[in-house]
């Protein structure tokens, strides 16, 4: 595997070489957070700043995998799509020494990412002055940020453009997305077939936002299955954190009451405006601590309805009396979540394989920290045993 200063030197790569992530369903805190639950021991302080523990774990693990995949596929550039505030792009470029283009549709988030880039560079320059033997800031390259919405139904030329003149033989791009939302994952899968793209590392999420039709099914094999369609409710359920919910059940957490409250709110919405289905309800802080009537009125306001609509208080009381039944129903529905997510991910894997390419699904994150923990890795050429190397935690 080709080495670089940003990869072989643990300090340069942004993390000391200790610890490792636990596998799926271990029920244990990843060892990188044993000393401090809010700071990964595998990332140095500059790369932890402004980054929550969950995201620290994700950018480190996916960044490491992308670096290895880039090496074994001889890619010349990484394209991080749906990059948000740029935490992954920043770690890959300034921590691992990769050439990164960062694409995000929200101008505000791109501005924030560029500010954090400058702040990190200043911190690294100070470290350089204290340690002149290390890699100097002048040798580091920040991500190149682009504001662009990626349409899943059309080709995005910006996504495929190299940052500079391509080497002889042309650019070789590696596309990646960390929890690429809904149809954004579909866009990356479709762009993978382009000749400029040599590899893909994709972690999806928000399956309920997939277009119907168009976002699922993608493969001919799954499309031919009788009854293969997935309802919005099933796709939405597949996005919930099963491991975290089990803990709430064991603890009989008061927050479980929110399921009953939300069901009561939905009933009130359908009485007031029957055509309003699946409205996005902005979170109500500490909802379980308020009375059910208060919750419903706040919820009505959040979906644009009159919070002073007359409510049947007796009916609300009867609904709250069924709180445990609502929790039981939700729990049973949640048992289907891994099955539904598996079907969606296997559909994507088969879509890649049906085009004659090579793909694997690898567990990469600790599910206790990041429930959407499977990465779809795809290449144009077979990697054989290299796929297992990608999954291996670095020591």
């Amino acid at each position: 595997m080709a080495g670089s200063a940003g990869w072989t030197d643990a300090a340069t790569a942004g993390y000391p070489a200790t610890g490792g992530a636990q596998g799926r369903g271990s029920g244990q805190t990843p060892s990188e957070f044993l000393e401090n639950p809010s700071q990964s021991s595998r990332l140095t302080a500059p790369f932890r700043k402004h980054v929550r523990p969950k995201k620290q774990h994700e950018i480190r693990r996916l960044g490491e995998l992308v670096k290895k995949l880039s090496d074994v596929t001889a890619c010349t550039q990484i394209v991080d799509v749906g990059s948000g505030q740029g935490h992954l792009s920043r770690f890959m470029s300034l921590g691992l020494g990769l050439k990164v283009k960062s694409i995000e549709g929200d101008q505000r988030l791109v501005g924030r990412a560029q500010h954090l880039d400058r702040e990190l560079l200043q911190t690294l320059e100070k470290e350089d002055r204290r340690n002149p033997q290390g890699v100097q800031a002048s040798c580091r390259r920040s991500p190149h940020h682009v504001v662009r919405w990626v349409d899943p139904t059309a080709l995005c030329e910006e996504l495929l453009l190299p940052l500079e003149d391509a080497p002889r033989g042309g650019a070789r791009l590696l596309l990646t997305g960390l929890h690429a939302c809904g149809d954004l994952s579909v866009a990356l899968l479709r762009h993978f077939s382009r000749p400029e793209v040599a590899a893909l590392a994709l972690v999806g999420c928000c399956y309920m936002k997939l277009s119907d039709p168009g976002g699922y099914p993608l493969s001919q094999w799954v499309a031919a299955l009788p009854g293969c369609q997935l309802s919005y409710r099933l796709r939405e359920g597949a996005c919930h954190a099963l491991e975290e919910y089990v803990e709430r059940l064991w603890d009989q957490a008061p927050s479980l009451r929110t399921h009953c409250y939300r069901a009561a709110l939905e009933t009130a919405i359908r009485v007031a405006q029957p055509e309003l289905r699946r409205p996005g309800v902005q979170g109500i802080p500490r909802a379980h601590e308020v009375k059910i009537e208060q919750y419903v009125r706040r919820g009505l306001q959040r979906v644009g309805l009159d919070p002073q609509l007359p409510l049947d208080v007796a009916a609300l009381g009867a609904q709250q009396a069924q709180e445990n039944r609502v929790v039981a129903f939700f729990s049973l529905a949640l048992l289907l979540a891994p099955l539904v997510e598996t079907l969606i991910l296997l559909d994507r894997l088969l879509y890649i394989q049906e085009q004659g390419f090579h793909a694997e699904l690898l567990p990469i994150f600790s599910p206790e920290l990041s429930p959407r923990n499977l990465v779809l890795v795809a290449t144009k050429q077979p990697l054989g045993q290299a796929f297992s190397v990608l999954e291996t935690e670095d020591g």
Side-chain angles (χ1 to χ4, degrees), residues 248 253-259 261-262 282-296 298 302 320:
R248 291 171 63 191
S255 60
L256 293 170
R257 182 176 302 133
T258 306
H259 294 308
Y261 282 13
R262 181 63 182 86
Q282 185 180 359
I284 299 175
R286 307 189 72 83
H288 59 281
E289 295 182 357
V290 304
K291 294 182 178 180
I292 189 169
E293 181 181 354
Q294 292 176 293
Y295 177 93
V296 170
R298 292 181 188 179
R302 277 167 163 73
Q320 185 167 5

Side-chain angles (χ1 to χ4, degrees), residues 273-314:
Q273 193 168 331
E275 67 277 12
L276 182 59
R277 296 299 179 95
R278 298 196 292 269
V281 181
Q282 185 180 359
I284 299 175
R286 307 189 72 83
H288 59 281
E289 295 182 357
V290 304
K291 294 182 178 180
I292 189 169
E293 181 181 354
Q294 292 176 293
Y295 177 93
V296 170
R297 294 196 183 280
R298 292 181 188 179
L300 288 171
Q301 186 174 22
R302 277 167 163 73
V303 298
L305 297 176
D306 183 1
Q308 298 306 317
L309 286 172
L311 298 176
D312 188 335
V313 178

